[in-house]
Amino acid sequence: MTSGANENLKLVIESILFVADDPVETAALARVAGRREEDVIEAVEAIAAEYRGRGLRIQRTGAAVQMVTAPEASPFVEQFLGVDEDQRISHAALETLAIIAYKQPISRQVIEAIRGVNCDRALASLKARGLVTEVGRASTAGRPYQYGTTFRFLEHFGLEKPSDLPPLPDLPPLPDLPTGEAPGDGKQEAEEADERVGDPRNEDVEEPGDRSEDEE
């Protein structure tokens, strides 16, 4: 690909990403530009490198791309737009999000095996915030849903792509579970006031007998 053709492709990609309301598939960019998808991916990486240190960022996950403002400028952008969003996450939800981010795609049963507690409420909170989503089904019995992070997750933590997460030491192997027993069933996690990161006024009303998870 010649230098002129490359610059023209970058121009087309930047223009489309600028006006797009949602992430754009690289295949769609290739179709509109009339170029190979491999050329589009190469151009996207070049644009992302050029934007580092400037006011915009290119985020990539899977086969999709989007343009966002630089995370370090978010306080100023939010002030300009009049945004006052409480983005704090509870301790339980943050633990669940970390497991998903590093082990994705991952099913609820495996998350619960790692945490040792039911995670339905944490997952519901993370899905409501748009930080995680269902990305497919596992090939194991029952074909449970598997979860992964979203573009909103990348925006929230100022990442360009999921692989930008800092490395972690190897996690211990998962415990063996008795047949038919779902991880976390029958276990309760103590409610700790100091684990609550969000505003207490936003706490869910606890249903009688439902104390298997930290309040989100």
Side-chain angles (χ1 to χ4, degrees):
M1 184 165 53
T2 65
S3 175
N6 183 44
E7 291 302 316
N8 183 67
L9 177 57
K10 288 161 60 178
L11 181 149
V12 171
I13 292 172
E14 284 182 288
S15 300
I16 293 173
L17 294 181
F18 181 81
V19 300
D21 293 328
D22 300 305
V24 182
E25 298 286 334
T26 53
L29 291 171
R31 184 171 61 253
V32 172
R35 304 292 291 272
R36 298 184 308 161
E37 189 169 356
E38 292 81 359
D39 293 337
V40 168
I41 294 172
E42 180 181 338
V44 165
E45 292 296 330
I47 296 170
E50 293 170 4
Y51 278 0
R52 295 185 188 116
R54 293 164 57 182
L56 297 174
R57 294 288 187 276
I58 299 296
Q59 292 180 329
R60 293 91 76 204
T61 179
V65 186
Q66 75 172 359
M67 180 184 292
V68 298
T69 55
E72 54 268 33
S74 60
F76 307 99
V77 174
E78 290 172 1
Q79 181 180 356
F80 176 77
L81 296 175
V83 176
D84 184 21
E85 181 182 356
D86 184 359
Q87 298 181 338
R88 291 173 292 183
I89 305 174
S90 74
H91 182 77
L94 192 58
E95 281 187 357
T96 302
L97 179 59
I99 293 170
I100 295 172
Y102 281 97
K103 305 290 286 184
Q104 61 184 311
I106 186 171
S107 68
R108 177 180 60 82
Q109 290 84 349
V110 178
I111 298 170
E112 291 175 346
I114 295 173
R115 289 197 65 216
V117 63
N118 182 283
C119 66
D120 284 343
R121 301 183 72 178
L123 276 175
S125 173
L126 294 171
K127 289 172 66 177
R129 292 172 179 266
L131 296 173
V132 303
T133 189
E134 296 162 355
V135 295
R137 288 182 177 270
S139 58
T140 55
R143 292 184 55 79
Y145 283 110
Q146 291 187 306
Y147 296 91
T149 54
T150 64
F151 273 102
R152 182 72 185 91
F153 166 82
L154 296 179
E155 293 173 21
H156 189 91
F157 291 97
L159 304 172
E160 288 188 13
K161 50 188 181 299
S163 59
D164 288 340
L165 285 165
L168 283 180
D170 292 336
L171 295 176
L174 297 180
D176 294 329
L177 299 174
T179 303
E181 179 181 338
D185 286 355
K187 295 185 179 181
Q188 297 182 349
E189 188 169 1
E191 303 283 350
E192 296 290 346
D194 60 351
E195 288 185 349
R196 179 69 188 178
V197 183
D199 189 335
R201 293 172 297 178
N202 295 330
E203 291 184 359
D204 296 338
V205 177
E206 182 181 344
E207 297 294 335
D210 183 8
R211 294 179 61 84
S212 60
E213 175 81 36
D214 288 329
E215 291 184 358
E216 306 307 327

